[in-house]
Amino acid sequence: MIELRVNGETHQLDIDPQMPLLWALREHVGLTGTKYGCGIGQCGACTVHLGGAAVRSCSVPVSAAADQDITTIEGLADGPRGAVGSAVQQAWQDLDVVQCGFCQSGQIMQATALLATDPAPDDAAIDTNMTGNICRCATYARIRRAIHKAAQALG
Ligand code: FES
């Protein structure tokens, strides 16, 4: 049995310890806001927070996530990074960032982790930190503006 702490709730799961966290979240915990894009750590669609840091959940075995706080997009606003996450989500809404939306939960999780460690990133810092989150609709300019807006809102 693997015990996962997801969005403040504990789940006892009878699963292979090597199962990717993404599969466990989607198929066993029932949280489908975290998306499967590439499955090899290259696109960022599956980004969640593990102990407050952004990780690619497709590339983390559940055994490595046990005993740590896992936050997904569903629990972001109420989680340890809630204030930052809420500001990011509000900025995303205000600036209408989303096009098809598939990558956006990963983008928001990555952006929140960035602002939690760098409250006022410049364009270069944003681009460096967001470069691993691919958006096939190319919403990058709006993502960058939304991160600046969230940073301003947070003061
Ligand atoms: Fe995990 Fe692409 S699905 S990085």
Side-chain angles (χ1 to χ4, degrees), residues 50-112:
L50 192 58
V55 298
R56 306 298 190 236
S57 62
C58 71
S59 302
V60 176
V62 287
S63 57
D67 299 326
Q68 296 195 62
D69 284 312
I70 302 159
T71 306
T72 70
I73 190 72
E74 290 91 344
L76 180 61
D78 299 318
R81 304 274 196 226
V84 178
S86 295
V88 169
Q89 287 176 305
Q90 188 61 55
W92 245 247
Q93 279 183 34
D94 291 348
L95 296 181
D96 226 355
V97 170
V98 175
Q99 193 160 316
C100 89
F102 190 83
C103 69
Q104 296 290 332
S105 59
Q107 302 279 2
I108 287 169
M109 298 306 284
Q110 186 73 33
T112 299

Side-chain angles (χ1 to χ4, degrees), residues 22-23 35-47 55-59 102 132 134:
L22 173 61
W23 270 246
K35 301 303 185 192
Y36 169 66
C38 66
I40 53 171
Q42 299 284 309
C43 77
C46 66
T47 304
V55 298
R56 306 298 190 236
S57 62
C58 71
S59 302
F102 190 83
I134 308 299

